[in-house]
Amino acid sequence: MRSVSLSINGEPVINVDIASDAGGADTATVKVFKDITPAKDGLLHLAFQGGPAGFVNALEILPSAPGKMLPIRLTMQENSYRDHSGRIWMADQYFLSGRRSTGRMPIEHVDGAADPELYSKHRFGNFTYSIPVVEGGKYTITLHFAET
């Protein structure tokens, strides 16, 4: 299965086999990182590694202080997506390198996902996201994965 290594702002935080973590293939799992502060340049830098096997399906950044900034939600799809709660997930952006899957993943079998459509595409390979946020704040980063 695919192993994903992640660093946030240059600090390693996880190295995980997604299917093992989720309890099997075709099962959604999330990783949540709280109280993350931006780097000195005002960006959150997420670096995914794992060769061609590293991947992510969607990511969400929530500010800890309401009213300072809107949440950032990214799906690895070409177009934005509205989830079952009415939240908008923007199309994949703020990335450098990696590739986005071209085919549609079989989402009807993704267990544990309130919004299986979030898992229909993924960015894979070695890639980074540099996401602009309000300086001085703390953020919760939620990463969505499903080994399909």
Side-chain angles (χ1 to χ4, degrees), residues 44 59-74 87-88 90 94 131-134 138-140:
L44 290 175
L59 63 90
E60 178 179 45
I61 298 173
L62 301 174
S64 60
K68 286 201 166 219
M69 154 182 154
L70 294 174
I72 296 171
R73 294 181 180 93
L74 298 176
R87 298 173 298 201
I88 300 294
M90 297 182 296
Y94 304 119
I131 302 170
V133 294
V134 175
K138 291 188 177 183
Y139 299 88
T140 297

Short mmCIF file of all heavy atoms in Angstrom, two decimals, residues 44 59-74 87-88 90 94 131-134 138-140:
data_model
loop_
_atom_site.label_atom_id
_atom_site.label_comp_id
_atom_site.label_asym_id
_atom_site.label_seq_id
_atom_site.Cartn_x
_atom_site.Cartn_y
_atom_site.Cartn_z
N LEU A 44 1.66 28.42 5.20
CA LEU A 44 1.73 27.07 5.75
C LEU A 44 2.31 26.20 4.65
O LEU A 44 1.76 26.13 3.55
CB LEU A 44 0.35 26.55 6.14
CG LEU A 44 -0.31 27.21 7.35
CD1 LEU A 44 -1.72 26.67 7.55
CD2 LEU A 44 0.52 27.00 8.61
N LEU A 59 -7.67 18.60 1.61
CA LEU A 59 -7.12 19.19 2.83
C LEU A 59 -7.96 20.38 3.24
O LEU A 59 -8.59 21.03 2.42
CB LEU A 59 -5.64 19.55 2.68
CG LEU A 59 -5.21 20.58 1.66
CD1 LEU A 59 -5.20 21.97 2.28
CD2 LEU A 59 -3.82 20.25 1.19
N GLU A 60 -7.96 20.63 4.55
CA GLU A 60 -8.77 21.71 5.13
C GLU A 60 -7.92 22.44 6.16
O GLU A 60 -7.24 21.82 6.97
CB GLU A 60 -10.01 21.10 5.78
CG GLU A 60 -10.91 22.08 6.46
CD GLU A 60 -12.13 21.39 7.07
OE1 GLU A 60 -11.96 20.33 7.71
OE2 GLU A 60 -13.22 21.93 6.90
N ILE A 61 -7.96 23.77 6.12
CA ILE A 61 -7.25 24.60 7.09
C ILE A 61 -8.27 25.50 7.76
O ILE A 61 -8.95 26.29 7.09
CB ILE A 61 -6.15 25.42 6.41
CG1 ILE A 61 -5.13 24.47 5.79
CG2 ILE A 61 -5.50 26.38 7.41
CD1 ILE A 61 -4.08 25.14 4.96
N LEU A 62 -8.38 25.35 9.07
CA LEU A 62 -9.34 26.14 9.85
C LEU A 62 -8.59 27.06 10.81
O LEU A 62 -7.73 26.60 11.56
CB LEU A 62 -10.25 25.22 10.66
CG LEU A 62 -11.09 24.23 9.86
CD1 LEU A 62 -11.84 23.30 10.81
CD2 LEU A 62 -12.04 24.95 8.94
N PRO A 63 -8.91 28.36 10.81
CA PRO A 63 -8.28 29.26 11.77
C PRO A 63 -8.83 29.02 13.17
O PRO A 63 -10.00 28.69 13.34
CB PRO A 63 -8.67 30.65 11.26
CG PRO A 63 -9.91 30.44 10.47
CD PRO A 63 -9.85 29.04 9.92
N SER A 64 -7.97 29.15 14.19
CA SER A 64 -8.43 28.95 15.56
C SER A 64 -9.21 30.16 16.07
O SER A 64 -10.04 30.03 16.95
CB SER A 64 -7.26 28.63 16.49
OG SER A 64 -6.33 29.70 16.48
N ALA A 65 -8.93 31.34 15.52
CA ALA A 65 -9.66 32.56 15.92
C ALA A 65 -10.68 32.90 14.85
O ALA A 65 -10.31 33.29 13.74
CB ALA A 65 -8.68 33.71 16.12
N PRO A 66 -11.97 32.73 15.15
CA PRO A 66 -12.99 33.04 14.15
C PRO A 66 -12.96 34.51 13.75
O PRO A 66 -12.63 35.37 14.55
CB PRO A 66 -14.31 32.69 14.85
CG PRO A 66 -13.97 32.21 16.21
CD PRO A 66 -12.51 32.30 16.42
N GLY A 67 -13.28 34.78 12.50
CA GLY A 67 -13.38 36.14 12.00
C GLY A 67 -12.09 36.70 11.43
O GLY A 67 -12.11 37.73 10.77
N LYS A 68 -10.95 36.06 11.67
CA LYS A 68 -9.68 36.56 11.13
C LYS A 68 -9.50 36.14 9.67
O LYS A 68 -8.87 36.83 8.90
CB LYS A 68 -8.51 36.07 11.96
CG LYS A 68 -8.38 36.77 13.28
CD LYS A 68 -6.98 36.61 13.80
CE LYS A 68 -6.78 37.58 14.93
NZ LYS A 68 -5.49 38.17 14.92
N MET A 69 -10.02 34.98 9.34
CA MET A 69 -9.85 34.44 8.00
C MET A 69 -10.88 33.34 7.77
O MET A 69 -11.27 32.66 8.71
CB MET A 69 -8.41 33.93 7.91
CG MET A 69 -8.13 32.87 6.95
SD MET A 69 -6.40 32.35 7.01
CE MET A 69 -6.72 30.72 6.40
N LEU A 70 -11.30 33.18 6.54
CA LEU A 70 -12.21 32.09 6.20
C LEU A 70 -11.44 30.77 6.14
O LEU A 70 -10.25 30.75 5.85
CB LEU A 70 -12.87 32.35 4.85
CG LEU A 70 -13.81 33.54 4.79
CD1 LEU A 70 -14.27 33.78 3.35
CD2 LEU A 70 -15.00 33.33 5.71
N PRO A 71 -12.12 29.66 6.38
CA PRO A 71 -11.46 28.36 6.22
C PRO A 71 -11.01 28.16 4.78
O PRO A 71 -11.59 28.72 3.85
CB PRO A 71 -12.56 27.35 6.57
CG PRO A 71 -13.56 28.11 7.35
CD PRO A 71 -13.50 29.52 6.85
N ILE A 72 -9.97 27.37 4.61
CA ILE A 72 -9.49 26.99 3.28
C ILE A 72 -9.73 25.50 3.13
O ILE A 72 -9.28 24.71 3.95
CB ILE A 72 -7.99 27.30 3.11
CG1 ILE A 72 -7.75 28.79 3.21
CG2 ILE A 72 -7.47 26.74 1.78
CD1 ILE A 72 -6.29 29.17 3.27
N ARG A 73 -10.49 25.14 2.11
CA ARG A 73 -10.77 23.73 1.84
C ARG A 73 -10.40 23.45 0.40
O ARG A 73 -10.89 24.12 -0.51
CB ARG A 73 -12.24 23.42 2.08
CG ARG A 73 -12.65 23.55 3.52
CD ARG A 73 -14.13 23.20 3.73
NE ARG A 73 -14.46 23.33 5.12
CZ ARG A 73 -14.96 24.44 5.69
NH1 ARG A 73 -15.20 25.50 4.96
NH2 ARG A 73 -15.22 24.47 6.98
N LEU A 74 -9.54 22.46 0.18
CA LEU A 74 -9.10 22.11 -1.16
C LEU A 74 -9.43 20.66 -1.44
O LEU A 74 -9.14 19.77 -0.64
CB LEU A 74 -7.58 22.29 -1.29
CG LEU A 74 -7.04 23.70 -1.10
CD1 LEU A 74 -5.52 23.68 -1.19
CD2 LEU A 74 -7.62 24.65 -2.12
N ARG A 87 -20.56 23.24 2.63
CA ARG A 87 -19.25 23.90 2.57
C ARG A 87 -18.66 23.75 1.18
O ARG A 87 -18.78 22.70 0.56
CB ARG A 87 -18.30 23.31 3.61
CG ARG A 87 -18.81 23.50 5.03
CD ARG A 87 -17.94 22.76 6.00
NE ARG A 87 -18.00 21.33 5.70
CZ ARG A 87 -17.71 20.36 6.56
NH1 ARG A 87 -17.29 20.65 7.75
NH2 ARG A 87 -17.81 19.11 6.20
N ILE A 88 -17.99 24.80 0.73
CA ILE A 88 -17.35 24.79 -0.59
C ILE A 88 -15.89 24.37 -0.44
O ILE A 88 -15.15 24.91 0.39
CB ILE A 88 -17.41 26.19 -1.25
CG1 ILE A 88 -18.85 26.63 -1.43
CG2 ILE A 88 -16.65 26.20 -2.57
CD1 ILE A 88 -19.65 25.79 -2.40
N MET A 90 -12.53 24.29 -2.67
CA MET A 90 -11.97 24.86 -3.90
C MET A 90 -11.20 23.79 -4.67
O MET A 90 -10.69 22.84 -4.08
CB MET A 90 -11.03 26.01 -3.56
CG MET A 90 -11.70 27.18 -2.88
SD MET A 90 -10.57 28.56 -2.55
CE MET A 90 -9.43 27.83 -1.39
N TYR A 94 -2.34 26.12 -4.98
CA TYR A 94 -1.25 26.38 -4.03
C TYR A 94 -0.20 25.26 -4.01
O TYR A 94 0.58 25.18 -3.09
CB TYR A 94 -1.76 26.60 -2.60
CG TYR A 94 -2.77 27.69 -2.44
CD1 TYR A 94 -4.05 27.40 -1.97
CD2 TYR A 94 -2.46 29.01 -2.74
CE1 TYR A 94 -4.99 28.41 -1.81
CE2 TYR A 94 -3.40 30.02 -2.59
CZ TYR A 94 -4.66 29.71 -2.13
OH TYR A 94 -5.59 30.71 -1.96
N ILE A 131 0.46 27.59 1.42
CA ILE A 131 -0.88 28.18 1.51
C ILE A 131 -0.82 29.46 2.32
O ILE A 131 -0.39 29.45 3.49
CB ILE A 131 -1.85 27.17 2.13
CG1 ILE A 131 -1.86 25.90 1.26
CG2 ILE A 131 -3.24 27.78 2.25
CD1 ILE A 131 -2.60 24.74 1.86
N PRO A 132 -1.24 30.59 1.74
CA PRO A 132 -1.21 31.86 2.47
C PRO A 132 -2.28 31.89 3.56
O PRO A 132 -3.43 31.51 3.34
CB PRO A 132 -1.49 32.90 1.39
CG PRO A 132 -2.22 32.17 0.32
CD PRO A 132 -1.75 30.74 0.38
N VAL A 133 -1.87 32.32 4.74
CA VAL A 133 -2.78 32.46 5.88
C VAL A 133 -2.47 33.77 6.60
O VAL A 133 -1.46 34.42 6.33
CB VAL A 133 -2.65 31.26 6.87
CG1 VAL A 133 -3.12 29.97 6.23
CG2 VAL A 133 -1.24 31.12 7.38
N VAL A 134 -3.34 34.16 7.52
CA VAL A 134 -3.12 35.36 8.31
C VAL A 134 -2.01 35.09 9.32
O VAL A 134 -2.06 34.10 10.06
CB VAL A 134 -4.43 35.79 9.02
CG1 VAL A 134 -4.18 36.97 9.93
CG2 VAL A 134 -5.50 36.10 8.00
N LYS A 138 -3.14 30.66 14.71
CA LYS A 138 -2.90 29.23 14.79
C LYS A 138 -4.00 28.54 13.98
O LYS A 138 -5.13 29.03 13.92
CB LYS A 138 -2.92 28.75 16.24
CG LYS A 138 -1.73 29.24 17.03
CD LYS A 138 -1.68 28.60 18.38
CE LYS A 138 -0.44 29.07 19.11
NZ LYS A 138 -0.30 28.44 20.40
N TYR A 139 -3.65 27.40 13.41
CA TYR A 139 -4.54 26.73 12.47
C TYR A 139 -4.62 25.24 12.76
O TYR A 139 -3.68 24.65 13.26
CB TYR A 139 -4.06 26.96 11.03
CG TYR A 139 -4.05 28.43 10.69
CD1 TYR A 139 -2.95 29.21 10.96
CD2 TYR A 139 -5.18 29.03 10.17
CE1 TYR A 139 -2.95 30.58 10.70
CE2 TYR A 139 -5.20 30.38 9.91
CZ TYR A 139 -4.09 31.15 10.18
OH TYR A 139 -4.12 32.50 9.94
N THR A 140 -5.78 24.68 12.41
CA THR A 140 -5.95 23.23 12.44
C THR A 140 -5.93 22.76 10.99
O THR A 140 -6.70 23.27 10.15
CB THR A 140 -7.27 22.84 13.11
OG1 THR A 140 -7.23 23.26 14.47
CG2 THR A 140 -7.50 21.34 13.05
#
